[in-house]
Amino acid sequence: MTLSEHRAAARIAWRQARRAKARTALIIALVGLPIAALAASGFVIQSALPGAEDKVTAQLGSADLGINYYSHDLTVDEVQQALPPGSRVTYSRALNFTRIIDGGQYGLNIVETSAPADQPPLRARYITLKGRMPQSEGEAALHPRLARILDVEVGDELRIDEFEIALRVVGFAALREELRNLTFLVGPHTLDRAAATTKAKHPSQWSERDVFPVDWLIDLPPHVTPQEAVPDLARTEFEGTGRFGFTTRQFILDQYRTERLTLTGAAFGGAVGALFGTGLIAAAAFAVGARRQLRTLGLVGVAGGDGSHARAIVLWGGTLMGAVGSAVGVAVAVAVAYAVTPHIDLLVGRVAGPVRVPWAAIAGALALGTVAATLAALGPARHAARVTTVDALAGRIPKPKPAGRLARRGLIVIVAGGTLAAAGAAWRQEKILAVAFVITLIGFLLAIPLLVSSVGRLPARLPASLRLAARQTARHGRRTGAAVAAATLALTAPVAIAAYTRSDEAFNDRRIPIGDHQLLLSGANDKAPDEHREILSTAREAIPGSVVAAIRNAVSPSTRPGAAADEVVPWYVQGPEIEVETGVFESESGSLAIGDAAVLRAIDAVAGIAPLQEGKIVAVRAAVEGDSLTILSADDEAGSSGGIDVPAVAVGRPKQTNEGEVPRYFISEQAASRYGLRPGLASAGLLRAPHALSDEEIGRVQRAISRCEGTYATSRENFMFHATPVRLLITAAATFVALIIIGVAVALVAAESRREYALVVALGAGLGMRRRTVAANAFFVTALAGILAVPAGLLPVAIVEVARTQNQPIVVPWDVIGIVMVGAPLVAGLIAAAFSRQPPSRALLQPAW
């Protein structure tokens, strides 16, 4: 075809698109939505997420150099000597403390800067939200949320009793790249007083490491490059020799430079996947459009055109609508970016700044959408080229083709993928499992037309509307199969995500050392024994019928050379080796605690009371090989002495738990004395209620023990993290997308079945037959997608979990499966019934032009 012929074909395609406004709008939306998501991802990556330059600023501010490793006693003079004259060294010091407020624990970090934080090089790091930055000793600027926790305002005095210092709050401030970080800035030399107080109050616990520079920034003289300032800079950065080493802005920039490219590539990959799903529906819409253009294509043939001209008209329709859809999607993304970006700082946790236009992503999105729509029109264009001029003028629609060999081969692909998955699980090869998952999913998608065709064989006893819908679904198996495939892809995501996250949560929840009927009482490890007993008694009175016991580690005098006479060290248990990762084995170990009957009742290990009284170590939910365990002193962590073998017994099913303050190994005080051990100070307390604790009861205990300074209670919920809101959001979004896809497919099938509806009505069917048939059609298609989405989503998760070596549970998300298999089909049927309309008789009988 010549260039003028292509121009003519493009003009005809554009006129046809303008005539069929609804179908054109549908195709533009199908192309525009993924492109809008891709362009929006580009704006997020470019504007909302920190780039390489932002991460350099977060680490170095506006400084030329930083120090990436150093000795704790490094001095400014020592650094200055390694730099050219005129260099300026700025450093930060930090001091941590814990504050208990209303029974809750807050870990706070005070940061002192040697130069005011509103001056270079720190000014690039921080943002002043109210008031000003601290300039001198005794001044502080807090994060607004931290100020609310501590109940202070600008101008108030804040006492830090832990260090006997008083601070005047002069402003609210935050880190530009970490807005959620509870910033606590103080003026120069403020921590000198805190260090002196701590050293005087706790000389045995004090170390110069407690208050020392944690961050070094260096401004070089003008016109001096980092390489000129430190000739051996490259060697220093990588080898880490000496007492400190420098790092440059360029070095950090190179570390993060590829991050945005990776994120952009992932965004393009997601867009390709989304376009594949929507492209299946767009291809069906192009096929319907080609059938509606039969008369036009026939007239082109009469005028001397051939099949290549018909093919060009349909292809140009895809190209033009793809370009328009891509442009619309990009325009929507740009508008949303400019409207939303100024208000997302708290959401993304950083100061996003002005909108940065991702020109590369926009250009790629325009090209990708245009190419995708053109490819979607390729199949319908080929079919249009095969229609003769006489058939086109007569409006004779080719009979839909049944599922072919490709669909039958999909079954073979499913079997091959399942076999490969079994081999990967047996060999514990994650790469093989990933390939097996992709192969199996492709097999499912290829075999979908066979499943759709089987719907037409439903029992003849069904009502007439259901039989008609089933036969229409089967007759248009290829087109309906495309819709089912796209909807399956959409519904697979929530099933897979819910199964994976719930399995992961179940595994992590199983590692939590306390149950929903227990509370860990912490923060009182330095209390006198009588005061600790008062804390436990207060907690017991708050929950009638509860059991409360103190947790005390087994200790002995330290044998370390130079140790103080009263210095003691804890003992721990070295258990058998367990496989923590594929082929990686580690010894299971934990601290050794002094226990009695009350402790074992509190920890739900009543079966261990008798063995404990017999002098054995009771391993609570921990493995014991043979009939003994080895105990060692903390002074002998290398195990050079070989340890002491002590008779032991396991109680409860072994499982890997995060020990924390709840030990798993217990020995009686009498048995411990035989090995030279004695109870240490109580490190924590454990409360076991006779029932699962409610939020009100947990709050009651927290309020009761908070009267004792520094004490707080931790429940099981404090250790848990559940992604339920995210799961529900993903499920709702995927269901919405699937309903849109299925709605389009059902509308296309209904549009091509108008003559069939006319014949049914002519034979005496009621006017509601069409509405019931369309609703049944939507139900069948959605149900098929839901049925396929469940194994497609569960299979990869099950394979991954089985391949792990940590007895990972597999949780079936029945609620999500119910939504996908039952809720979505019912909603699809109801929506189709509500929006279906009976066309007039002449529209039912006229040709599909």
Side-chain angles (χ1 to χ4, degrees):
M1 291 179 60
T2 63
L3 182 60
S4 60
E5 290 175 327
H6 275 290
R7 285 201 302 267
R11 286 197 302 271
I12 294 173
W14 181 245
R15 289 170 185 169
Q16 292 295 320
R18 292 175 59 186
R19 286 179 56 190
K21 294 181 176 60
R23 187 169 61 251
T24 301
L26 169 67
I27 295 174
I28 289 174
L30 290 173
V31 175
L33 284 175
I35 295 303
L38 173 59
S41 300
F43 278 102
V44 170
I45 294 170
Q46 195 74 22
S47 301
L49 300 182
E53 287 287 353
D54 300 315
K55 293 191 175 183
V56 173
T57 301
Q59 293 188 40
L60 297 184
S62 60
D64 300 307
L65 293 174
I67 294 182
N68 56 356
Y69 66 91
Y70 47 89
S71 301
H72 76 276
D73 56 348
L74 184 66
T75 63
V76 174
D77 291 339
E78 188 176 351
V79 177
Q80 201 80 55
Q81 291 174 3
L83 298 169
S87 300
R88 181 189 178 204
V89 178
T90 305
Y91 63 88
S92 301
R93 299 193 297 173
L95 189 62
N96 301 317
F97 71 100
T98 301
R99 177 67 63 89
I100 309 299
I101 302 174
D102 294 332
Q105 182 187 29
Y106 295 89
L108 305 179
N109 185 34
I110 303 177
V111 177
E112 172 198 290
T113 56
S114 62
D118 56 356
Q119 297 179 10
L122 298 170
R123 184 170 58 193
R125 275 185 174 181
Y126 295 96
I127 179 173
T128 304
L129 303 174
K130 185 178 180 181
R132 61 177 177 83
M133 288 290 187
Q135 304 287 330
S136 59
E137 181 181 352
E139 294 183 340
L142 312 181
H143 190 284
R145 181 169 174 265
L146 181 57
R148 288 194 298 271
I149 293 172
L150 299 176
D151 193 22
V152 294
E153 276 290 343
V154 175
D156 291 349
E157 181 179 270
L158 175 61
R159 293 197 59 82
I160 310 297
D161 295 330
E162 291 82 355
F163 308 111
E164 296 181 2
I165 59 175
L167 303 172
R168 186 164 63 89
V169 180
V170 296
F172 292 163
L175 287 163
R176 289 181 180 273
E177 298 299 327
E178 298 179 48
L179 285 181
R180 299 189 188 97
N181 188 311
L182 298 183
T183 309
F184 195 138
L185 284 172
V186 296
H189 307 296
T190 301
L191 293 186
D192 293 337
R193 170 69 181 274
T197 301
T198 304
K199 189 173 183 179
K201 290 175 62 176
H202 306 287
S204 62
Q205 303 176 17
W206 168 254
S207 169
E208 293 295 337
R209 292 174 178 268
D210 293 340
V211 179
F212 73 101
V214 296
D215 192 22
W216 297 82
L217 305 178
I218 300 164
D219 285 319
L220 296 174
H223 311 300
V224 176
T225 66
Q227 287 72 22
E228 292 172 343
V230 187
D232 59 346
L233 187 60
R235 179 182 61 80
T236 305
E237 280 180 331
F238 290 101
E239 294 185 6
T241 57
R243 285 172 51 78
F244 64 94
F246 294 101
T247 188
T248 66
R249 301 183 70 86
Q250 186 61 43
F251 180 73
I252 301 174
L253 189 67
D254 293 340
Q255 288 181 309
Y256 298 108
R257 191 183 296 279
T258 60
E259 280 193 356
R260 280 191 171 174
L261 293 176
T262 303
L263 291 173
T264 303
F268 270 95
V272 170
L275 283 170
F276 174 75
T278 57
L280 295 174
I281 305 304
F286 283 125
V288 173
R291 286 172 173 82
R292 295 292 179 88
Q293 298 175 40
L294 285 177
R295 189 178 184 184
T296 301
L297 298 178
L299 292 175
V300 171
V302 170
D306 55 19
S308 63
H309 294 88
R311 180 170 59 249
I313 290 172
V314 178
L315 273 177
W316 272 110
T319 302
L320 292 174
M321 282 186 273
V324 173
S326 300
V328 170
V330 168
V332 170
V334 171
V336 171
Y338 275 94
V340 172
T341 301
H343 310 287
I344 63 171
D345 289 355
L346 293 179
L347 179 64
V348 299
R350 62 181 295 268
V351 179
V355 176
R356 303 172 188 171
V357 180
W359 295 110
I362 288 177
L366 291 172
L368 182 61
T370 304
V371 171
T374 304
L375 292 176
L378 186 60
R382 293 174 58 192
H383 286 90
R386 298 193 187 105
V387 179
T388 64
T389 301
V390 175
D391 288 339
L393 290 173
R396 286 193 286 266
I397 302 174
K399 183 181 178 180
K401 292 184 178 180
R405 290 178 296 176
L406 187 62
R408 289 190 290 272
R409 289 172 181 172
L411 299 176
I412 301 175
V413 175
I414 292 175
V415 174
T419 304
L420 190 61
W427 300 333
R428 294 177 179 174
Q429 294 293 324
E430 295 182 358
K431 293 181 179 179
I432 295 179
L433 292 174
V435 173
F437 165 63
V438 173
I439 292 176
T440 306
L441 183 59
I442 292 174
F444 272 114
L445 296 178
L446 292 177
I448 282 176
L450 286 177
L451 181 62
V452 173
S453 299
S454 67
V455 173
R457 304 187 186 94
L458 290 176
R461 294 180 181 178
L462 290 175
S465 59
L466 294 180
R467 291 203 307 274
L468 182 59
R471 289 168 183 172
Q472 288 176 352
T473 302
R475 185 180 299 113
H476 300 279
R478 289 175 178 264
R479 187 176 312 143
T480 308
V484 172
T488 299
L489 289 176
L491 294 176
T492 295
V495 175
I497 291 173
Y500 182 80
T501 55
R502 286 194 173 177
S503 300
D504 199 49
E505 288 169 3
F507 176 70
N508 291 328
D509 292 351
R510 196 172 64 181
R511 294 166 61 90
I512 296 175
I514 59 177
D516 57 6
H517 61 305
Q518 295 173 312
L519 286 177
L520 182 62
L521 312 176
S522 308
N525 54 310
D526 59 346
K527 304 294 182 185
D530 53 347
E531 192 172 357
H532 200 277
R533 283 193 294 270
E534 179 185 351
I535 295 170
L536 301 185
S537 176
T538 302
R540 185 185 299 108
E541 292 172 359
I543 307 295
S546 60
V547 177
V548 182
I551 295 176
R552 299 173 297 171
N553 290 328
V555 299
S556 69
S558 175
T559 58
R560 180 175 52 85
D566 57 348
E567 183 177 345
V568 297
V569 294
W571 281 61
Y572 68 99
V573 174
Q574 184 175 311
E577 285 193 342
I578 58 173
E579 190 174 10
V580 294
E581 296 179 16
T582 305
V584 179
F585 293 85
E586 291 182 1
S587 295
E588 190 175 31
S589 62
S591 57
L592 179 63
I594 303 294
D596 55 17
V599 172
L600 294 185
R601 289 192 184 97
I603 207 169
D604 275 340
V606 178
I609 293 178
L612 185 76
Q613 294 173 345
E614 294 172 3
K616 297 181 180 179
I617 292 178
V618 176
V620 180
R621 292 177 286 277
V624 175
E625 283 188 359
D627 56 359
S628 66
L629 288 170
T630 303
I631 62 174
L632 301 98
S633 165
D635 283 342
D636 188 32
E637 292 184 358
S640 57
S641 67
I644 303 173
D645 291 333
V646 180
V649 62
V651 175
R653 183 179 178 181
K655 64 178 184 179
Q656 290 176 291
T657 60
N658 297 318
E659 184 178 87
E661 294 182 86
V662 183
R664 293 183 294 167
Y665 302 98
F666 296 90
I667 189 172
S668 67
E669 187 172 351
Q670 294 80 6
S673 63
R674 293 199 293 267
Y675 305 105
L677 310 180
R678 60 180 175 83
L681 291 175
S683 59
L686 188 64
L687 178 147
R688 181 180 66 81
H691 55 267
L693 291 164
S694 65
D695 293 339
E696 190 278 329
E697 289 174 321
I698 295 172
R700 190 194 314 161
V701 175
Q702 289 177 334
R703 288 189 297 272
I705 67 172
S706 65
R707 293 193 293 268
C708 302
E709 181 184 355
T711 306
Y712 59 97
T714 305
S715 68
R716 181 179 177 83
E717 286 295 324
N718 295 115
F719 295 95
M720 300 171 70
F721 174 76
H722 287 169
T724 302
V726 177
R727 280 196 297 266
L728 294 177
L729 180 63
I730 293 174
T731 302
T735 303
F736 178 72
V737 172
L739 291 177
I740 292 177
I741 293 171
I742 290 164
V744 173
V746 171
L748 294 175
V749 171
E752 290 198 40
S753 304
R754 289 184 304 179
R755 289 188 176 184
E756 188 173 341
Y757 287 125
L759 293 174
V760 173
V761 172
L763 293 173
L767 294 178
M769 170 66 77
R770 187 175 189 273
R771 176 170 294 181
R772 292 193 297 272
T773 304
V774 172
N777 221 324
F779 177 85
F780 283 143
V781 175
T782 314
L784 290 174
I787 291 171
L788 289 171
V790 172
L794 288 179
L795 182 61
V797 175
I799 291 173
V800 170
E801 305 299 357
V802 168
R804 294 187 180 182
T805 60
Q806 298 176 322
N807 297 320
Q808 194 88 359
I810 301 175
V811 178
V812 179
W814 292 110
D815 53 348
V816 176
I817 290 176
I819 293 173
V820 168
M821 293 185 64
V822 180
L826 290 176
V827 172
L830 292 174
I831 292 176
F835 288 92
S836 177
R837 293 291 181 268
Q838 182 75 18
S841 300
R842 61 178 179 83
L844 288 171
L845 294 174
Q846 72 181 13
W849 292 345

